Amino acid sequence: MTQAIRALGTLLASMTPVLNPGVYAFASLDTGRAPDQLPAIATLREQEGWTVVLPLDAARQYGLNVLFEAAWISLHVHSDLAAVGLTAAFAGALAEQGIACNVLAGAYHDHLFVPHTEAEAAMAALLALQARHST
């Protein structure tokens, strides 16, 4: 495994956004229901219940209330969880284009969820950001 990168300039120059196939859903479960049987790619337990991220087809199959339909973009750079500024940089680049972004930080990569109808525009904005920081 590669060493985690903390330097913002290096992160931006090498972030390499990759659009994962499919459409993903953000949904919520009531406090009495656990996400154990769901094919979730991410879960978060909040006071009000669980937030789950899973393929849109699965969310519909399980009868979940879909709150947000998203494209999933992974940044293929091993970002240090203590790095400062990466989220602000890509969120700013997307905001300049009027694109909403929900972020999940994994141990190795950052994962961005943008409206699925704006996936290509988001990729273009992220690739332009990367190009501006490449030498």
Side-chain angles (χ1 to χ4, degrees):
M1 184 51 54
T2 61
Q3 174 100 12
I5 300 169
R6 190 177 286 195
L8 181 58
T10 304
L11 286 169
L12 292 171
S14 57
M15 65 183 193
T16 314
V18 174
L19 179 61
N20 295 290
V23 178
Y24 296 84
F26 277 67
S28 64
L29 304 176
D30 295 333
T31 55
R33 187 171 177 195
D36 299 341
Q37 302 303 315
L38 298 175
I41 60 168
T43 60
L44 178 66
R45 186 173 183 173
E46 299 179 283
Q47 182 178 352
E48 297 84 0
W50 288 92
T51 297
V52 295
V53 182
L54 69 168
L56 179 61
D57 290 345
R60 289 182 175 150
Q61 175 187 345
Y62 284 92
L64 302 180
N65 180 31
V66 174
L67 304 171
F68 182 63
E69 294 182 15
W72 174 14
I73 300 171
S74 297
L75 300 184
H76 281 214
V77 61
H78 187 177
S79 54
D80 190 311
L81 287 166
V84 175
L86 178 60
T87 303
F90 64 67
L94 293 171
E96 287 175 3
Q97 301 302 313
I99 301 171
C101 180
N102 292 279
V103 183
L104 294 172
Y108 301 101
H109 307 288
D110 290 282
H111 304 276
L112 291 59
F113 293 86
V114 300
H116 74 92
T117 57
E118 299 182 62
E120 295 303 322
M123 284 294 295
L126 294 168
L127 289 168
L129 175 64
Q130 180 181 12
R132 286 194 303 271
H133 290 86
S134 296
T135 54

